[in-house]
């Protein structure tokens, strides 16, 4: 019978092939290609970033024959050449190794069989497909991709991204070292903390008058800039100053000031006789550009910003331009002292002065660092002065040491990564269009690429500008080297690099979210967005009200409340516990304590706890929802699976088949589910795998494997071991339907696909559900249907019994009512008691007989499982007595009773 079945099957296939050939020769369109061919065409056409696996490519070797001829006129000959007979159990035979370039059918459209052009075209297509595969991400995958394939794309994307992150961290951290901090520290101690004289404790930070400014320039500034003698009074190198004996003073220092013109503000009419001059606060419109004093040299004549190659500077009081009156000092201490004395004697600083800058740069060859220093003294319109400073250590000379060349290699790698991600984002935008920008992570990718390109541009400009500036400095060492623009761009580069690294680290949440535990944070934040926005509106209304109150009440007396933005920051500090209550109380003895007490009560005890309550409530909801969700395969599971496969191939770990076989040998006879689960859990298997295996063979569902089920599992495990041995020896493995029972449709699908991969032989579909999981779910559904059927039948029986009880109750009530009515009527009409007794006995006897007949019918229907209708006929399970039917029954009984009385 088996042979006859195989012959019939082969005959049907031969007839089908002949029919296809005739249809092709007749020029008619044959049936559509198999599903596997369509799916592979869709993969290669619609998914430029997808790279099929090697086993899938090998499995597609047969159907490619139909693809090459595009189901055209040569389909019959191609099928004939690609089909080797009915071998392989009725499946299409795989095309031979020479099928693409060797003996192919004459109907092939690509030209002569031995032509070089088709081979080159095929090679170019394969190369292009592999190149597209380099940019394969999960956004380029089809929607029906299996969960495992989806996670593989994510894992590859994560590994690539981690390499990019490591390269970026090496670059950013390689340009910063602890030497920069110590460099800034020693230079600031020298110029900021040195007293102006031995008898005074005033230093640069505590300067308060113009006289203090000149004392600083004549004392600590000259002493710090010019180190011409060793501690043993020996002279150092001529015309060179090494600060701390290590830091070379580059060129000469520069002093520059900005002034405002007289009459830039208005004087009230009542005070014009008392006040003749008026100098407004600094602004570019009020800036004085006229010569003054000696009116010769750059110190007494105005120079614009372009000629000075300067830039604006943001001070504590105002933002100052890069122009002004400047004096370049000398390389020797004596000449510089004379220049400063001349400026002081001729009143270089006057009432119109609003800012004075002291700029110079030093270089330390030991650590290859420049330090660009700017000391700023601001003269506000209120009188006095305010000091600030800026020390910027920068590494402007690159590629000297071995580590520098390693950083150069990392810079090249970083540029390649940026180019790689640019191509990747372009491909994703091309596939998804404007929908691409709906994802926050995609927008973050674009932002990282933009910041990286800007950082690369700044680095290139900075490197080229340093070379030009150093060349100019070496030509004229008595000039001022303006490193301030380079320091500015270095600061911008550091800021951009810091922001880029921050966003790159934040993007790791994109990959961490595929873990259930880690995704709770992002899910919690996304769910509570609306509540947090509503809370934030309420919070900032109260917060800004308190900030306005504090600014108006304490702004004139407390530095922390001197500006509105300072009030905002100060109130955030109060929330965190950093405050000075004494200053607030001294500023206003009534409103100060009231402000502080109410602010802490409302903001800290009420609003802040409301915010925490919103977060906690949402987190609890997310946690409960995730506990009810179905457990899916995660990245950790995929990595663990790959690790186990590697250990098995290296023979360092037993396979699942070996573990189950060992458990069966140890169990003997009947095997309980709990025993198997405990044993396999100890060997590293998951609950899902153990339950799937046990449910497959526990056909009766009693949570125990009988001897027959035990033997069937052993047989299947032995066959699985044979398949694994064949797979290890790299031999073609036949399609096995022995390990797992399968339907006819699944077998036909596998025969059409003709795949040699074990996962595809087990029927893994594109939806990501394996055949084993499908069988487990089918058995569970069958059990549920069986259980639900029995429950429904019991519910029907209960409903029928309740209906019978309800009818009996209504009848009893009606009979008793009629009896009472009869007694009353007899007494009213004066009938004899004998007639009344006979009628009552007859009525009761009839009712009892009817009730007994109803009870007998209900019991019979309960035994047979079919409830009876109101007429005693069998009623379907889904039917229910209607209200009209119930009323009819009761009405009939009532009529019968009344007839007896009549």
């Amino acid at each position: 019978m088996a042979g006859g079945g195989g012959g019939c099957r082969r005959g049907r296939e031969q007839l089908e092939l002949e029919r296809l050939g005739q249809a092709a020769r007749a020029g008619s369109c044959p049936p559509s290609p198999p599903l596997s061919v369509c799916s592979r065409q869709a993969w290669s056409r619609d998914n430029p970033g997808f790279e099929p696996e090697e086993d899938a490519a090998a499995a597609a070797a047969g159907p490619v024959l139909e693809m090459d001829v595009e189901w055209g006129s040569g389909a019959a000959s191609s099928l004939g050449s690609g089909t080797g007979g009915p071998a392989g159990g009725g499946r299409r035979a795989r095309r031979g190794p020479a099928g693409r370039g060797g003996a192919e059918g004459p109907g092939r459209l690509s030209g002569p069989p031995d032509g070089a052009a088709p081979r080159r075209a095929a090679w170019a297509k394969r190369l292009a497909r592999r190149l597209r595969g380099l940019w394969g991400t999960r956004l380029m995958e089809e929607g029906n991709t299996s969960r495992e394939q989806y996670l593989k794309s994510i894992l590859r994307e994560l590994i690539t991204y981690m390499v990019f992150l490591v390269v970026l961290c090496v670059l950013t951290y390689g340009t910063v070292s602890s030497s920069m901090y110590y460099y800034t520290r020693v230079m600031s101690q020298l110029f900021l903390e040195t007293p102006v004289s031995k008898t005074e404790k005033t230093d640069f930070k505590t300067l308060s008058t113009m006289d203090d400014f000149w004392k600083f320039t004549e004392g600590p500034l000259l002493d710090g800039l010019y180190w011409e003698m060793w501690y043993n009074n020996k002279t150092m190198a001529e015309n060179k100053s090494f600060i701390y004996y290590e830091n070379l003073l580059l060129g000469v220092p520069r002093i520059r000031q900005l002034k405002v013109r007289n009459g830039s503000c208005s004087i009230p009419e009542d005070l014009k006789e008392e006040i003749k001059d008026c100098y407004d606060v600094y602004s570019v419109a009020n800036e004085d550009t006229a010569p003054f004093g000696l009116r010769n040299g750059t110190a007494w004549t105005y120079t614009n910003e372009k000629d000075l190659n300067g830039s604006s500077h943001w001070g504590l009081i105002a933002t100052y331009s890069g122009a002004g009156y400047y004096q370049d000092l000398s390389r020797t201490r004596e000449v510089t002292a004379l220049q400063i004395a001349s400026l002081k004697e001729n009143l270089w600083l006057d009432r119109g002065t609003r800012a004075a800058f002291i700029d110079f740069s030093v270089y330390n060859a030991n650590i290859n660092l420049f330090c660009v220093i700017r000391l700023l003294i601001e003269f506000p319109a209120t009188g006095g002065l305010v000091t600030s400073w800026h020390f910027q250590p920068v590494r402007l000379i690159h590629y000297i040491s071995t580590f520098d060349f390693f950083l150069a290699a990392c810079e090249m790698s970083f540029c390649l990564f940026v180019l790689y991600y640019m191509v990747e984002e372009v491909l994703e935008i091309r596939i998804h269009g404007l929908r691409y920008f709906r994802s926050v992570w995609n927008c973050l990718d674009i932002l990282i690429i933009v910041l990286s390109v800007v950082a690369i541009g700044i680095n290139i400009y900075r490197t080229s500008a340093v070379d030009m500036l150093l060349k100019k400095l070496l030509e004229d060492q008595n000039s001022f080297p303006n490193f301030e623009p380079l320091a500015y761009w270095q600061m911008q580069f550091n800021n951009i690099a810091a922001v880029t690294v921050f966003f790159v680290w934040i993007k790791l949440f994109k990959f961490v979210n595929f873990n259930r535990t880690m995704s709770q944070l992002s899910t919690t934040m996304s769910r509570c967005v609306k509540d947090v926005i509503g809370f934030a509106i309420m919070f900032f209304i109260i917060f800004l009200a308190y900030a306005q109150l504090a600014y108006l009440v304490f702004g004139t007396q407390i530095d922390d409340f001197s500006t509105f933005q300072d009030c905002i920051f100060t109130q955030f500090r109060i929330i965190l516990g950093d405050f000075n209550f004494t200053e607030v109380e001294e500023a206003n003895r009534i409103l100060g304590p009231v402000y502080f007490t109410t602010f802490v009560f409302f903001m800290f005890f009420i609003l802040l706890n409301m915010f925490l309550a919103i977060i906690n409530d949402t987190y609890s909801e997310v946690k409960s929802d995730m506990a009810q969700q179905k457990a899916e395969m995660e990245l950790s599971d995929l990595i663990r699976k790959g690790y186990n496969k590697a250990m098995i191939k290296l023979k360092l770990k037993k396979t699942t088949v070996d573990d189950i076989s060992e458990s069966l040998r140890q169990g003997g006879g009947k095997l309980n589910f709990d025993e198997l689960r405990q044993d396999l859990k100890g060997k590293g298997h998951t609950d899902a795998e153990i339950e799937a295996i046990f449910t497959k063979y526990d056909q009766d569902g009693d949570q125990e494997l009988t001897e027959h089920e035990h033997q069937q599992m052993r047989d299947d495990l032995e066959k699985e071991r044979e398949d694994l041995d064949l797979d290890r020896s790299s031999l073609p493995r036949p399609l096995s339907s022995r390990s797992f029972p399968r339907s006819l449709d699944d077998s036909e699908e596998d025969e059409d696909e003709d795949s040699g991969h074990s996962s595809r032989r087990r029927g893994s579909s594109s939806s990501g559900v394996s055949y084993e999981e499908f069988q487990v779910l089918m058995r569970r559904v069958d059990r549920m249907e069986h259980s639900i059927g029995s429950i429904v039948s019991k519910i029907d029986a209960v409903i029928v019994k309740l209906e019978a009880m309800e009818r009996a109750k209504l009848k009893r009530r009606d009979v008793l009512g009629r009896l009472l009515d009869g007694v009353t009527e007899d007494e009213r009409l004066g009938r004899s008691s004998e007639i009344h007794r006979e009628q009552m006995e007859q009525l009761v006897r009839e009712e009892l007989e009817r009730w007994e007949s109803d009870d007998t019918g209900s019991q019979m229907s309960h035994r047979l499982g079919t409830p009876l209708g109101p007429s005693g006929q069998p009623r379907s399970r889904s039917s229910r007595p209607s209200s009209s039917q119930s009323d009819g029954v009761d009405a009939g009984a009532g009529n019968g009773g009344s007839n007896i009385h009549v």
Side-chain angles (χ1 to χ4, degrees):
M1 292 299 292
C8 292
R9 200 160 47 243
R10 289 192 293 271
R12 286 197 301 270
E13 291 188 359
Q14 190 66 27
L15 290 175
E16 183 67 18
L17 292 176
E18 290 177 2
R19 187 178 65 81
L20 290 174
Q22 292 173 3
R25 287 191 295 272
S28 61
C29 183
S32 59
L35 179 61
S36 59
V37 178
C38 296
S39 62
R40 292 188 182 94
Q41 287 176 334
W43 279 117
S44 60
R45 179 178 66 254
D46 301 331
N47 196 353
F50 176 74
E51 181 180 1
E53 300 178 355
E54 295 180 0
D55 52 354
V64 168
L65 199 57
E66 290 88 355
M67 292 169 60
D68 291 341
V69 298
E70 296 180 353
W71 294 83
S73 59
S77 58
S78 300
L79 286 167
S81 62
T83 306
R91 289 174 290 160
R92 294 190 188 94
R94 219 177 271 180
R95 196 173 63 177
R100 189 169 291 275
E104 292 185 348
R108 185 170 176 88
L109 300 179
S110 57
D114 55 348
R119 288 197 297 269
R120 287 197 298 269
W123 179 84
K125 289 181 179 179
R126 288 196 298 270
L127 179 61
R129 185 169 61 250
R130 292 188 177 276
L131 288 177
R132 286 197 304 268
L134 293 176
W135 284 275
T137 63
R138 66 188 182 285
L139 290 181
M140 300 181 188
E141 297 285 354
E142 288 287 337
N144 57 355
T145 309
S146 65
R147 176 71 176 179
E148 183 173 356
Q149 184 65 32
Y150 181 71
L151 290 178
K152 285 182 180 178
S153 301
I154 294 174
L155 182 60
R156 182 178 65 175
E157 191 177 351
L158 174 60
I159 293 175
T160 306
Y161 188 77
M162 290 301 297
V163 177
F164 169 70
L165 178 60
V166 170
V167 171
L168 181 60
C169 290
V170 169
L171 279 178
T172 52
Y173 296 150
T175 56
V176 180
S177 65
S178 59
S179 300
M180 291 185 174
Y181 166 73
Y182 292 113
Y183 198 13
T184 304
R185 179 182 176 183
V186 296
M187 299 303 293
S188 61
Q189 286 178 347
L190 177 62
F191 292 99
L192 303 181
E193 299 178 7
T194 304
V196 295
S197 64
K198 295 182 179 180
T199 59
E200 298 182 29
K201 295 182 179 181
T202 304
D203 55 15
F204 181 81
K205 295 180 179 179
T206 59
L207 299 180
S208 58
T209 63
M210 288 186 179
D211 185 48
D212 292 338
F213 169 79
W214 290 116
K215 290 180 179 179
F216 170 77
T217 55
E218 293 173 343
L221 180 63
L222 291 180
D223 295 338
L225 288 176
Y226 301 100
W227 293 57
E228 298 177 349
M229 302 289 293
W230 281 97
Y231 55 85
N232 58 357
N233 295 328
K234 289 188 177 180
T235 307
M236 297 179 62
E238 187 177 358
N239 291 333
K240 290 184 180 180
S241 175
F242 285 89
I243 301 175
Y244 283 117
Y245 311 114
E246 302 291 348
N247 304 280
L248 175 64
L249 178 63
L250 299 176
V252 296
R254 170 177 289 179
I255 297 180
R256 177 172 63 93
Q257 75 158 326
L258 289 170
K259 301 179 62 178
V260 295
R261 62 180 179 272
N262 187 14
S264 55
C265 56
S266 300
I267 303 175
E269 294 291 340
D270 298 338
L271 300 176
K272 282 187 176 180
E273 295 182 359
E274 302 293 335
I275 302 174
K276 303 297 183 183
D277 302 325
C278 182
Y279 298 89
D280 201 358
V281 297
Y282 176 82
S283 66
V284 177
N286 296 332
E287 195 170 308
D288 188 6
T289 59
F292 74 103
L294 300 180
R295 297 178 178 272
N296 58 352
T298 58
W300 309 99
T301 58
Y302 182 83
T303 306
N304 57 38
E305 183 174 323
K306 183 177 180 181
D307 295 337
L308 285 177
N309 192 24
S311 59
S312 60
H313 182 87
W314 185 16
L316 298 178
I317 299 176
T319 300
Y320 304 97
S321 68
Y325 307 86
Y326 73 94
Q327 173 68 55
D328 287 342
L329 304 179
S330 176
R331 294 182 61 84
T332 61
R333 180 188 178 95
E334 290 77 10
V335 177
T336 300
L338 292 176
Q339 292 173 333
I340 293 176
S342 176
L343 295 176
K344 178 180 179 182
E345 182 179 354
N346 292 283
L347 199 64
W348 189 63
L349 298 180
D350 56 14
R351 290 184 58 191
T353 302
R354 288 293 174 261
F357 299 85
I358 302 175
D359 298 314
F360 57 95
S361 303
V362 295
Y363 173 71
N364 190 310
N366 300 332
I367 53 178
N368 189 25
L369 284 178
F370 291 82
C371 188
V372 182
I373 302 173
R374 166 166 287 182
L375 305 178
L376 173 60
I377 302 94
E378 298 177 76
F379 300 89
T382 58
L385 55 87
V386 179
T387 59
S388 59
W389 52 89
H390 186 68
F391 293 83
Q392 181 63 40
V394 292
R395 191 186 303 274
L396 300 178
I397 301 177
H398 299 280
Y399 317 125
I400 296 178
S401 63
T402 304
F403 183 72
D404 291 338
F405 287 104
F406 171 72
L407 291 179
C410 292
E411 290 175 353
M412 297 177 62
S413 302
F414 177 75
C415 295
L416 293 177
F417 269 111
V418 172
L419 180 62
Y420 169 84
Y421 282 116
M422 290 176 65
V423 175
E424 177 182 295
E425 302 309 317
V426 169
L427 291 176
E428 291 180 354
I429 293 174
R430 181 180 178 184
I431 293 174
H432 298 277
L434 296 178
R435 291 185 292 108
Y436 169 86
F437 296 97
R438 295 179 183 177
S439 173
V440 177
W441 298 117
N442 294 338
C443 297
L444 183 60
D445 292 337
I446 298 296
L447 178 61
I448 291 175
I449 291 175
V450 171
L451 292 175
S452 301
V453 172
V454 173
I456 292 173
I458 292 177
N459 192 31
I460 294 174
Y461 166 77
R462 182 189 58 185
T463 304
S464 59
V466 166
D467 295 337
M468 297 174 58
L469 189 59
L470 290 179
K471 183 179 180 181
K472 181 179 179 181
L473 176 63
L474 293 175
E475 293 175 354
D476 186 7
Q477 297 185 5
N478 291 320
S479 63
F480 169 71
N482 190 9
F483 284 95
E484 193 272 332
L486 292 179
Y488 169 79
W489 286 112
Q490 176 65 36
M491 184 172 60
Q492 301 305 318
F493 175 80
N494 292 341
N495 295 337
I496 293 176
V499 174
T500 304
V501 173
F502 172 78
F503 284 127
V504 168
W505 277 102
I506 290 297
K507 190 185 170 183
L508 282 179
F509 279 104
K510 178 182 180 180
F511 304 100
V512 172
N513 281 342
F514 290 97
N515 183 278
R516 290 173 61 89
T517 304
M518 299 299 179
S519 62
Q520 292 181 3
L521 173 62
S522 59
T523 308
T524 302
M525 297 304 298
S526 61
R527 283 197 184 183
C528 67
V529 167
K530 294 183 180 179
D531 295 335
V532 170
I533 291 176
F535 166 79
I537 294 174
M538 179 177 59
F539 175 85
F540 281 107
I541 288 175
I542 301 177
F543 188 86
L544 294 177
Y546 273 102
Q548 189 70 34
L549 172 65
Y551 176 63
L552 295 176
V553 175
F554 313 117
T556 59
Q557 302 180 51
I558 303 176
D559 180 54
D560 291 337
F561 297 94
S562 59
T563 62
F564 185 72
Q565 56 266 29
D566 287 341
C567 291
I568 294 176
F569 295 133
T570 302
Q571 290 189 159
F572 278 117
R573 289 169 51 193
I574 292 176
I575 294 176
L576 297 177
D578 181 16
F579 57 89
N580 190 342
F581 177 74
T582 304
E583 289 184 349
V584 175
E585 187 180 19
E586 291 176 353
N588 194 311
R589 298 178 62 183
I590 298 177
L591 292 180
V594 172
Y595 159 80
F596 180 80
T597 304
T598 56
F599 178 80
V600 170
F601 177 77
F602 284 109
M603 303 303 298
F604 187 79
F605 291 105
I606 296 180
L607 294 181
L608 187 60
N609 285 284
M610 286 180 61
F611 175 74
L612 297 178
I614 292 172
I615 299 297
N616 291 333
D617 185 55
T618 308
Y619 178 77
S620 300
E621 294 179 0
V622 170
K623 195 170 183 179
S624 61
D625 292 346
M626 286 189 171
Q628 298 174 1
Q629 291 178 0
K630 178 184 176 182
E632 293 183 343
M633 189 177 187
E634 300 179 358
L635 278 178
S636 57
D637 299 329
L638 182 64
I639 296 173
R640 190 184 302 111
K641 182 178 178 181
Y643 170 77
N644 292 334
K645 286 183 178 180
M647 297 298 290
I648 291 172
K649 288 183 179 180
L650 295 174
K651 296 183 179 181
L652 298 176
K653 184 178 180 181
K654 293 182 179 180
T655 63
T656 307
V657 176
D658 296 332
D659 290 338
I660 298 175
S661 300
E662 184 177 352
S663 299
L664 292 177
R665 285 194 301 269
Q666 293 176 358
K670 284 192 175 183
L671 186 63
N672 196 333
F673 173 73
D674 294 332
E675 297 175 357
L676 179 65
R677 178 179 177 276
Q678 184 177 2
D679 191 10
L680 294 181
K681 281 282 287 184
K683 296 176 180 178
H685 299 284
T686 62
D687 290 330
E689 296 175 349
I690 300 171
E691 185 176 355
I693 294 172
F694 197 89
T695 308
K696 177 183 179 298
Y697 294 100
D698 186 17
Q699 299 177 359
D700 52 4
D702 59 351
Q703 296 293 314
E704 286 187 357
L705 295 182
T706 62
E707 194 67 34
H708 175 68
E709 296 169 346
H710 198 164
Q711 187 62 36
Q712 183 182 358
M713 179 183 285
R714 286 183 176 178
D715 295 340
D716 289 345
L717 290 175
E718 290 298 330
K719 293 169 184 177
E720 280 293 319
R721 183 181 286 109
E722 294 175 3
D723 291 341
L724 288 174
D725 293 338
L726 290 175
D727 198 11
R728 289 174 183 172
S729 57
S730 301
L731 292 177
R733 194 168 148 195
L735 182 63
S736 173
S737 62
R738 301 169 298 179
S739 299
F740 300 96
R742 309 170 65 187
S743 63
L744 180 61
D745 296 336
D746 297 329
S747 303
E748 290 176 356
E749 254 185 44
D750 286 348
E751 288 172 2
D752 289 339
E753 291 186 4
D754 195 18
S755 173
H757 195 274
S758 61
S759 64
R760 300 183 70 89
R761 287 206 323 273
R762 295 184 180 182
S764 60
S765 62
S766 60
S767 62
V769 179
S770 64
Y771 187 79
E772 293 85 349
E773 293 177 345
F774 177 76
Q775 289 296 320
V776 172
L777 294 176
M778 284 294 295
R779 291 191 186 93
R780 289 182 178 177
V781 171
D782 292 339
R783 293 176 184 174
M784 290 175 61
E785 289 180 349
H786 178 71
S787 302
I788 291 173
S790 62
I791 293 172
V792 169
S793 63
K794 293 178 181 179
I795 292 174
D796 285 337
V798 172
I799 291 175
V800 170
K801 188 173 295 185
L802 290 175
E803 290 174 351
M805 293 173 62
E806 184 67 22
R807 288 197 300 270
K809 185 188 297 183
L810 293 175
K811 290 177 182 179
R812 188 180 302 110
R813 183 184 303 168
D814 188 34
V815 169
L816 292 176
R818 288 199 304 271
L819 289 174
L820 292 175
D821 292 338
V823 171
T824 305
E825 186 68 19
D826 291 340
E827 291 178 355
R828 187 176 63 83
L829 297 176
R831 293 180 181 179
S832 62
S833 59
E834 294 293 330
I835 298 173
H836 178 265
R837 185 182 299 110
E838 290 176 358
Q839 290 179 353
M840 183 179 295
E841 289 176 356
Q842 184 182 359
L843 180 61
V844 171
R845 190 179 298 110
E846 289 176 356
E847 293 296 333
L848 289 175
E849 289 176 356
R850 186 180 292 112
W851 292 352
E852 289 176 359
S853 63
D854 291 342
D855 293 340
T856 304
S858 299
Q859 292 176 1
M860 292 296 295
S861 65
H862 177 66
R863 291 194 186 98
L864 296 175
T866 305
L868 297 177
S871 61
Q873 299 296 326
R875 180 162 50 92
S876 62
R877 178 179 298 179
S878 61
S879 63
R880 293 287 182 270
S882 62
S883 60
S884 62
Q885 292 172 343
S886 302
D887 295 338
V889 172
D890 299 337
N895 292 335
S898 63
N899 290 335
I900 292 174
H901 285 286
V902 173

